[in-house]
Amino acid sequence: MTIDNLPSRIANHPTVRAVRSRDPQEKPGIIDAEWLRRICLAAGADDVAFATVDNPDLASEREHVENAMPGTRSFISLVVKMNRDNVRSPARSVANQEFHRTGEIINEAAHRITRALQEAGHRALNPSATFPMEMDNFPGRIWVVAHKPVAVAAGLGVMGIHRNVIHPRFGNFILLATLLVDAPITTYGEPLDYSPCLECKLCVAACPVGAIKKDGEFDFFACSTHNYREFMGGFTDWVQTVADSEDAADFRSRVSDSENASMWQSLSFKANYKAAYCLAVCPAGEEVIEPYLDNRKAFMDLVLKPLQDKKETLYVLPNSAAKEYAERRFPHKPIKVVDSGIRGR
Ligand code: B12
Ligand code: SF4
């Protein structure tokens, strides 16, 4: 044994000798919020704020982040803006490209920040902003950390009627990410003292399957059955349809060529959303609101009406409120009754 109780085989290892010959490093302590903010903005975030894991508003996250990184002390909440007209376009490929590209940018920023923290001597971790998630837990909680409550607690925005976070300047044209770090930060954010949501209810009018109610109630299955048709549940239903079909002709009578091509596209590139119209039409936020204030009718004709008029298949569950709503409000949109693909829902 050597003087510090290491077996001599380890003590004499070249790595150990190299590390031991260095000047002793100061143990990293509390993180300076200004230093960290500069790192985050330089890494590509458009806004950032911090929250402690001890914040009672984030009690729901504690156990989950402790599992992901034992010893987590603080959350770093990131915002990256999306290009608005891409999200608003009735061309779904354009909007989906914007969601995917912004997801890549925010993940890249989070990765760079994690590296900077690691190099400063901290333990830090960046769960994916979107997918991949913990599918072993499906259909339960698959996300490692819920970005919305963290962003709200850190003061980056407030959830609007459509349950997305609205940033006071950028509106809802943002994606969120959350990093975990093992140290306290000198300054934590405070929740905003107002909601940027105008309660205009354009999101309610835009959703083709009635998932958003006027009082802010959210119909999870209406949204996930349509918007997530090519994600976990919808994909499972598609596979069930393959399995249930008697032969190729029967399968082709159940699933159209464009639906198969669309599923192929989602599997080959990245899964594509069918709507997200609630985000597209939201006029809230200082950088977003002007055209709406100038002329509300013109704004609705430009942004809301093309999405309402678009001829597109709507996916609904049998005998659901979404089916009744879609038939009544959007008679020009073909409706397809499907299974959610989620067992025991
Ligand atoms: C689960 C999830 C969904 C679910 C549920 C949505 C929701 N309102 O929570 C579905 C699949 C429907 C969904 C849809 C969308 N999502 Co989403 N989603 C998430 C995820 C993974 C967690 C959300 C969360 O924290 N929920 C829990 C609490 C905080 O929110 P809540 O509204 O109170 O939760 C209720 C529902 O979630 C519901 N619920 C959740 N799961 C399940 C499962 C079952 C079986 C049931 C019955 C209910 C249910 O129960 C909760 C309590 O009432 C986050 C990513 C992340 N890791 O945080 C992205 C996230 C919230 N999504 C986002 C986006 C952009 C969308 C879509 C626009 C997708 C798109 N491009 O089309 C739509 C918008 C739908 C809407 N109006 O909310 C962004 C929001 C950005 C912002 N500005 O706030 C996030 C933060 C992703 C990101 N990295 O930016 N999403
Ligand atoms: S569209 Fe209107 S009601 Fe819906 S979240 Fe935005 S501001 Fe609020």
Side-chain angles (χ1 to χ4, degrees), residues 165-177:
V165 173
I166 306 180
H167 185 278
R169 279 184 291 137
F170 315 146
N172 70 185
F173 294 91
I174 53 169
L175 289 187
L176 304 171

Side-chain angles (χ1 to χ4, degrees), residues 95-109:
N96 275 297
Q97 185 200 213
E98 188 60 28
F99 284 114
H100 294 147
R101 183 67 195 122
T102 309
E104 286 159 6
I105 293 170
I106 201 164
N107 279 330
E108 282 164 18

Side-chain angles (χ1 to χ4, degrees), residues 25-54:
Q25 304 278 305
E26 221 175 277
K27 288 271 174 243
I30 187 162
I31 301 173
D32 179 66
E34 266 317 304
W35 171 82
L36 185 54
R37 185 175 168 78
R38 276 199 305 276
I39 298 241
C40 295
L41 297 181
D46 289 308
D47 202 358
V48 58
F50 315 116
T52 167
V53 284
D54 299 326

Side-chain angles (χ1 to χ4, degrees), residues 159-164 166 172 195-204 212 214 277-279 281-285 292:
M159 281 204 262
I161 282 188
H162 57 11
R163 301 205 67 76
N164 293 293
I166 306 180
N172 70 185
S195 171
C197 176
L198 309 160
E199 303 198 7
C200 65
K201 319 265 165 82
L202 290 190
C203 48
V204 178
I212 301 162
K214 285 186 183 152
Y277 295 173
C278 53
L279 289 190
V281 299
C282 180
Y292 176 79

